[in-house]
Amino acid sequence: MKSRPSFPAKFNTSPPQKLVKPSSPLSWVAGGTAKQHTVASSAASGLGLDSATVRSTMVRRLAEGGIEDELVLNAMLAVERHKFLDTALANQAYEDTSLPIGFGQTISKPNVVARMIELLRHGKNLRITGKLGRVLEIGTGCGYQAALLSHVSQEVYSIERIKGLYERARENIRPMRLGNLHLLFGDGLQGYPSGAPYAGIIAAAGGENIPTEWIEQLADGGRLVAPMSVTKGSQSLVVIDKTSAGIHKTVLEPVNFVPLLSGLSE
Ligand code: SAH
């Protein structure tokens, strides 16, 4: 069993502060005096004081960088990214950097993860203040994004093709008691028809195109967010909206994700 990183002692040791949202919607600050914002149990969950503080700094930066969705910001505050990483990397957990998670795979930068989940929640029939319905994630990796999704959705299915990572994600997630998160070992290229239709589908690995199975498994009014190769050697974030009128595809900013591969790796 992987040892849990205890958070390094070098961080500032002031007590955890609740995020409050003052006058400007983008200026999230720690410890202000404006109306208290509901924070999903960061202080109550028994995590180290230090990690809560650095996490609130990370969330403030995300908000300054343009992430507006309060559910996403609160999820980023609540989920302890350092618990998904090896001990040696825990002190980099709240920097805006992608990090190795073993098996040649990486956990994405916090701002990319937050951006993708925010995009996912802006599907045409979704109220931005409410939780998403059922969501499918392709590429569980260490389970970090799956844990975030479980905070902003009613139910999450997350599928991983590398057995060792699937097992690691299960270990990481188990103590978090996220009853609405289902981890699956399988090839996500086929999606996961048993859970369909999905309000949202999100992929953490990029292929040459978007598998038709994913689009088929998307609900009417649902949204898919995934990296995809648009030209040779360059990937972009793609958003697909499915409505009764058809499929609408939007190509957004360049990104750099690991490849979407077929088959299982035992
Ligand atoms: N969301 C993850 C990111 C992991 S990196 C996290 O928070 O850690 C992307 C993952 O996609 C890798 O673990 C890789 O093994 C997985 N992947 C690639 N192709 C896949 C496929 N066809 N089915 C399921 N998972 C896949």
Coordinates of all heavy atoms in Angstrom, one line a residue, residues 101 103 105-108 113 137-146 159-162 165 186-190 204-205 214 257-263, ligand 1:
I101 N 2.3 10.6 -12.4 CA 1.5 9.7 -11.4 C 1.9 8.3 -11.6 O 1.2 7.4 -11.2 CB 0.0 10.0 -11.6 CG1 -0.4 9.8 -13.1 CG2 -0.4 11.3 -11.1 CD1 -1.9 9.8 -13.3
F103 N 3.4 4.9 -14.3 CA 2.9 4.3 -15.5 C 3.0 5.2 -16.8 O 2.3 5.1 -17.7 CB 1.5 3.8 -15.4 CG 1.3 2.8 -14.2 CD1 1.0 3.3 -13.0 CD2 1.5 1.4 -14.4 CE1 0.9 2.4 -11.9 CE2 1.4 0.6 -13.3 CZ 1.1 1.1 -12.1
Q105 N 2.2 8.3 -17.0 CA 1.0 9.2 -17.1 C 1.2 10.4 -16.2 O 2.1 10.4 -15.3 CB -0.3 8.5 -16.7 CG -0.5 7.2 -17.5 CD -0.5 7.3 -19.0 OE1 -1.1 8.3 -19.5 NE2 0.1 6.5 -19.7
T106 N 0.4 11.4 -16.5 CA 0.5 12.7 -15.7 C -0.9 13.2 -15.2 O -1.9 12.9 -15.8 CB 1.2 13.8 -16.5 OG1 0.4 13.9 -17.7 CG2 2.6 13.6 -16.8
I107 N -0.8 13.8 -14.1 CA -2.0 14.5 -13.6 C -1.9 16.0 -14.2 O -0.8 16.6 -14.2 CB -2.0 14.6 -12.0 CG1 -3.2 15.2 -11.4 CG2 -0.8 15.2 -11.4 CD1 -3.3 15.1 -9.9
S108 N -3.0 16.5 -14.7 CA -3.0 17.8 -15.3 C -2.8 18.9 -14.3 O -3.1 18.8 -13.1 CB -4.3 18.0 -16.1 OG -4.6 16.9 -16.9
V113 N -7.5 21.4 -15.3 CA -8.6 20.6 -14.7 C -9.8 21.5 -14.4 O -11.0 21.1 -14.7 CB -8.1 19.9 -13.4 CG1 -9.2 19.1 -12.8 CG2 -6.9 19.0 -13.7
E137 N -16.1 10.0 -17.0 CA -14.7 10.5 -17.2 C -13.9 9.4 -17.9 O -13.9 8.2 -17.4 CB -14.0 10.9 -15.9 CG -12.6 11.4 -16.1 CD -11.7 11.5 -14.8 OE1 -11.9 10.6 -13.9 OE2 -10.9 12.4 -14.8
I138 N -13.2 9.7 -18.9 CA -12.3 8.7 -19.6 C -10.9 9.0 -19.2 O -10.4 10.1 -19.5 CB -12.5 8.7 -21.1 CG1 -13.9 8.1 -21.4 CG2 -11.4 7.8 -21.7 CD1 -14.8 9.1 -21.9
G139 N -10.2 8.1 -18.4 CA -8.9 8.4 -18.0 C -8.8 8.8 -16.5 O -8.6 9.9 -16.2
T140 N -9.1 7.8 -15.6 CA -9.1 8.1 -14.2 C -7.8 8.6 -13.7 O -7.7 9.5 -12.8 CB -9.5 6.8 -13.4 OG1 -10.6 6.2 -14.0 CG2 -9.8 7.2 -11.9
G141 N -6.7 8.0 -14.2 CA -5.4 8.3 -13.7 C -5.3 8.0 -12.2 O -5.7 7.0 -11.7
C142 N -4.9 9.1 -11.5 CA -4.7 8.9 -10.0 C -6.1 9.2 -9.3 O -6.2 9.0 -8.1 CB -3.7 9.8 -9.5 SG -4.1 11.6 -9.7
G143 N -7.1 9.6 -10.0 CA -8.4 9.8 -9.4 C -8.7 11.2 -9.0 O -9.8 11.5 -8.5
Y144 N -7.7 12.2 -9.2 CA -8.0 13.5 -8.7 C -9.1 14.2 -9.4 O -10.1 14.7 -8.7 CB -6.7 14.4 -8.9 CG -6.8 15.8 -8.5 CD1 -7.1 16.2 -7.2 CD2 -6.7 16.8 -9.5 CE1 -7.2 17.6 -6.9 CE2 -6.9 18.2 -9.2 CZ -7.1 18.5 -7.9 OH -7.3 19.9 -7.6
Q145 N -9.1 14.2 -10.7 CA -10.2 14.9 -11.4 C -11.6 14.2 -11.1 O -12.6 14.8 -11.0 CB -10.0 14.9 -12.9 CG -11.1 15.5 -13.7 CD -10.7 15.9 -15.1 OE1 -10.1 17.0 -15.4 NE2 -11.0 15.0 -16.0
A146 N -11.5 12.8 -11.0 CA -12.7 12.1 -10.7 C -13.3 12.6 -9.3 O -14.5 12.7 -9.2 CB -12.4 10.6 -10.6
I159 N -13.4 5.8 -15.9 CA -12.8 4.5 -16.5 C -11.3 4.7 -16.8 O -10.9 5.7 -17.3 CB -13.7 4.1 -17.7 CG1 -13.3 2.7 -18.2 CG2 -13.7 5.1 -18.8 CD1 -14.4 2.1 -19.0
E160 N -10.5 3.7 -16.4 CA -9.1 3.7 -16.6 C -8.6 2.4 -17.3 O -9.1 1.3 -16.9 CB -8.4 4.0 -15.3 CG -6.9 3.8 -15.3 CD -6.2 4.8 -16.3 OE1 -6.4 6.0 -16.2 OE2 -5.4 4.3 -17.1
R161 N -7.7 2.5 -18.3 CA -7.3 1.3 -19.0 C -6.0 0.7 -18.4 O -5.7 -0.5 -18.7 CB -7.0 1.6 -20.5 CG -5.9 2.6 -20.7 CD -5.6 2.8 -22.2 NE -5.0 1.7 -22.8 CZ -3.7 1.4 -22.8 NH1 -2.8 2.2 -22.1 NH2 -3.2 0.3 -23.3
I162 N -5.3 1.4 -17.5 CA -4.1 0.8 -16.9 C -4.5 0.2 -15.5 O -4.9 1.0 -14.6 CB -3.0 1.8 -16.8 CG1 -2.6 2.3 -18.2 CG2 -1.8 1.3 -16.0 CD1 -1.5 3.4 -18.2
L165 N -3.0 1.8 -12.3 CA -3.5 3.2 -12.0 C -4.9 3.1 -11.5 O -5.3 3.8 -10.5 CB -3.5 4.1 -13.2 CG -2.2 4.8 -13.5 CD1 -2.3 5.6 -14.8 CD2 -1.9 5.8 -12.3
G186 N -11.3 -0.5 -17.6 CA -11.8 -0.8 -18.9 C -11.2 0.1 -19.9 O -10.5 1.1 -19.6
D187 N -11.6 -0.2 -21.2 CA -11.2 0.7 -22.3 C -12.2 1.8 -22.5 O -13.3 1.4 -23.0 CB -11.0 -0.2 -23.5 CG -10.5 0.7 -24.7 OD1 -10.4 1.9 -24.6 OD2 -10.2 0.1 -25.8
G188 N -11.9 3.0 -22.2 CA -12.9 4.1 -22.3 C -13.2 4.5 -23.7 O -14.1 5.3 -24.0
L189 N -12.5 3.9 -24.7 CA -12.8 4.2 -26.1 C -14.3 3.9 -26.5 O -14.9 4.5 -27.3 CB -11.9 3.5 -27.1 CG -10.5 4.2 -27.3 CD1 -9.7 3.3 -28.2 CD2 -10.7 5.6 -27.9
Q190 N -14.8 2.9 -25.8 CA -16.2 2.5 -26.0 C -17.1 3.2 -25.1 O -18.3 2.9 -25.1 CB -16.3 1.0 -25.7 CG -16.0 0.1 -26.9 CD -14.6 -0.3 -27.0 OE1 -14.0 -0.7 -26.0 NE2 -13.9 -0.1 -28.1
A204 N -9.5 12.8 -20.3 CA -8.2 13.3 -19.8 C -7.1 12.8 -20.7 O -5.9 12.9 -20.4 CB -8.0 12.8 -18.4
A205 N -7.4 12.2 -21.9 CA -6.4 11.8 -22.8 C -7.0 12.1 -24.2 O -8.2 12.1 -24.4 CB -6.2 10.3 -22.7
W214 N -18.9 7.9 -27.6 CA -19.1 8.9 -26.6 C -20.2 9.8 -27.0 O -21.0 10.2 -26.1 CB -17.8 9.8 -26.5 CG -16.5 9.0 -26.1 CD1 -16.4 7.7 -25.8 CD2 -15.2 9.6 -25.9 NE1 -15.2 7.4 -25.4 CE2 -14.4 8.5 -25.5 CE3 -14.7 10.9 -26.0 CZ2 -13.0 8.7 -25.2 CZ3 -13.3 11.1 -25.8 CH2 -12.5 10.0 -25.4
F257 N -2.2 16.8 -23.7 CA -2.6 15.7 -22.9 C -1.9 14.4 -23.3 O -1.4 14.3 -24.5 CB -4.1 15.5 -23.0 CG -4.9 16.4 -22.1 CD1 -5.1 17.7 -22.4 CD2 -5.4 15.9 -20.9 CE1 -5.8 18.5 -21.5 CE2 -6.1 16.7 -20.0 CZ -6.3 18.0 -20.4
V258 N -1.8 13.4 -22.5 CA -1.3 12.1 -22.9 C -2.2 11.5 -23.9 O -3.4 11.8 -24.0 CB -1.1 11.1 -21.6 CG1 -0.1 11.7 -20.6 CG2 -2.5 10.9 -20.9
P259 N -1.7 10.5 -24.7 CA -2.6 10.0 -25.8 C -3.7 9.0 -25.3 O -3.5 8.3 -24.3 CB -1.6 9.2 -26.6 CG -0.4 8.9 -25.8 CD -0.3 10.0 -24.8
L260 N -4.8 9.1 -26.0 CA -5.9 8.2 -25.8 C -5.5 6.9 -26.5 O -5.3 6.9 -27.7 CB -7.1 8.8 -26.4 CG -8.5 8.0 -26.2 CD1 -8.9 8.1 -24.8 CD2 -9.5 8.7 -27.1
L261 N -5.4 5.8 -25.7 CA -4.9 4.5 -26.3 C -6.1 3.5 -26.2 O -6.9 3.6 -25.4 CB -3.7 4.0 -25.5 CG -2.5 4.9 -25.5 CD1 -1.4 4.4 -24.6 CD2 -2.0 5.2 -27.0
S262 N -6.0 2.5 -27.1 CA -7.0 1.5 -27.1 C -6.5 0.2 -26.3 O -5.3 0.0 -26.2 CB -7.4 1.1 -28.5 OG -6.4 0.5 -29.1
G263 N -7.4 -0.6 -25.8 CA -7.1 -1.8 -25.2 C -6.7 -1.6 -23.7 O -6.6 -0.5 -23.2
Ligands
SAH1 N1 -7.8 12.7 -14.8 C1 -6.5 12.1 -14.5 C2 -5.5 12.3 -15.6 C3 -4.8 11.1 -15.9 S1 -3.8 11.1 -17.4 C4 -6.1 12.5 -13.1 O1 -6.7 13.3 -12.5 O2 -5.1 11.9 -12.6 C5 -4.9 10.3 -18.5 C6 -5.3 8.9 -18.3 O3 -6.1 8.4 -19.4 C7 -4.1 8.0 -18.1 O4 -4.2 7.4 -16.9 C8 -4.3 6.9 -19.2 O5 -4.0 5.6 -18.9 C9 -5.8 7.0 -19.5 N2 -6.3 6.5 -20.8 C10 -5.8 6.7 -22.0 N3 -6.5 6.0 -22.9 C11 -7.6 5.5 -22.2 C12 -8.7 4.7 -22.6 N4 -8.9 4.3 -23.9 N5 -9.5 4.3 -21.7 C13 -9.4 4.6 -20.4 N6 -8.3 5.4 -19.9 C14 -7.4 5.8 -20.9

